[in-house]
Amino acid sequence: MSALSRLSLNQETIKQWSLPELAEGCVKAGVPGVGLWREPVQKYGVAAAAELVRNAGLSVTSLCRGGFFTASEPEARATALADNRRAIDEAATLGTDTLVLVSGGLPDGSRDLFAARERIADALGDLAPYAADHGVRLAIEPLHPMYASDRCVVSTLAQALDLAERFPAEQVGVVVDTYHIWWDDTVADQIARAGAGGRIAAFQLADWVTPLPEGVLLGRGQLGDGSVDFRWFREQVDATGYTGPIEVEIFNPDLWARDGAEVLAEVADRYRTLVL
């Protein structure tokens, strides 16, 4: 078995590549999986993207993103649910069983985290059966607490599991993303909990580097450039029985300014030395 047999390259890691370049680059590098994002896939054409990846012999390990469920106004909530149904349809067309959810931050003027999380649960109740009918599992991704106000009120793996466990495991799982949860001293127990319940839908890697950039969104580091012990995380996840893809998802303008093949070669090298 190749050392890269579980590696997946998230599309945003080498954002400068077009979809055809992504497919060609991964095939040349021996990377068998790709994680895709809705906007570039929509621009290329969902059916065309599915055919491109399938013909390249690649698997789509996830589609990002659905979510943003926390609006309190009925019209906004209906709009979000409709968009998530489209995301589920797109995931099914692409042949992935994992739709990653960024659940949404606090609505304007609100300070009620608990009510926002309950609205997420309500949305999952509407969407989970629809997703299951299409062979797609909804994957709740906890984001670092610095994103709680504007992007995701689900800040820990425990909070994600508290939501996911209201639904069948085959319908709703969680994302274990090192960038967002590396700091949590309960994370080993929560990974074990997720694995015992069959809830690990995706495992993603990015490093934590400081200082954070303005806006904080584009501050993920290349593997090995920061504070995360990737092998420890991989061992914890593997110990639960998870054998699925390991997806590298990095948002970093410095990587986007470089040659894509060079970045991918670096990702693969650091994966071998720091993760395996």
Side-chain angles (χ1 to χ4, degrees):
M1 183 178 293
S2 165
L4 303 183
S5 62
R6 295 174 66 189
L7 179 60
S8 174
L9 179 72
N10 188 278
Q11 185 174 16
E12 287 292 288
T13 304
I14 308 180
K15 189 176 183 176
Q16 62 271 37
W17 269 354
S18 66
L19 266 170
E21 289 171 331
L22 176 73
E24 181 181 6
C26 285
V27 169
K28 286 183 177 179
V31 175
V34 290
L36 299 180
W37 278 69
R38 294 183 66 199
E39 184 176 359
V41 165
Q42 289 168 349
K43 287 182 178 179
Y44 189 81
V46 179
E51 182 178 14
L52 172 72
V53 175
R54 183 172 58 250
N55 289 344
L58 300 170
S59 63
V60 181
T61 56
S62 70
L63 178 65
C64 199
R65 57 177 167 65
F68 285 84
F69 300 130
T70 52
S72 55
E73 300 83 3
E75 183 176 349
R77 290 183 60 74
T79 298
L81 289 172
D83 183 60
N84 277 271
R85 290 189 187 94
R86 287 192 294 271
I88 291 164
D89 294 341
E90 292 163 8
T93 299
L94 292 167
T96 181
D97 60 1
T98 303
L99 176 64
V100 175
L101 304 179
V102 176
S103 297
L106 286 171
D108 289 343
S110 174
R111 295 178 176 84
D112 193 340
L113 288 166
F114 302 100
R117 291 181 190 131
E118 282 304 308
R119 288 193 290 275
I120 296 168
D122 290 343
L124 292 171
D126 284 335
L127 293 168
Y130 182 84
D133 287 345
H134 289 74
V136 175
R137 179 156 64 157
L138 305 177
I140 305 169
E141 181 172 14
L143 268 59
H144 190 280
M146 66 183 173
Y147 297 110
S149 64
D150 63 342
R151 289 188 177 273
C152 190
V153 298
V154 180
S155 301
T156 66
L157 195 53
Q159 290 170 357
L161 287 165
D162 287 346
L163 286 166
E165 287 169 353
R166 302 188 192 190
F167 306 94
E170 65 271 16
Q171 293 184 5
V172 183
V174 297
V175 180
V176 176
D177 187 325
T178 61
Y179 179 77
H180 293 299
I181 62 174
W182 72 275
W183 55 274
D184 185 351
D185 64 354
T186 72
V187 74
D189 289 341
Q190 297 306 321
I191 289 173
R193 172 186 169 191
R199 297 282 176 178
I200 301 177
F203 178 32
Q204 296 182 329
L205 309 180
D207 217 337
W208 180 275
V209 294
T210 50
L212 295 172
E214 183 178 357
V216 305
L217 187 61
L218 305 183
R220 294 180 176 222
Q222 171 65 287
L223 308 185
D225 284 356
S227 305
V228 178
D229 185 342
F230 293 106
R231 183 170 292 110
W232 182 90
F233 267 97
R234 195 267 302 158
E235 290 172 348
Q236 296 296 310
V237 170
D238 282 0
T240 72
Y242 177 83
T243 59
I246 302 174
E247 187 175 307
V248 176
E249 182 188 58
I250 304 170
F251 313 149
N252 190 307
D254 290 340
L255 295 185
W256 298 338
R258 292 170 53 190
D259 175 75
E262 177 185 282
V263 173
L264 181 50
E266 184 176 89
V267 166
D269 180 64
R270 297 198 183 188
Y271 175 85
R272 292 186 191 96
T273 58
L274 298 172
V275 180
L276 298 183

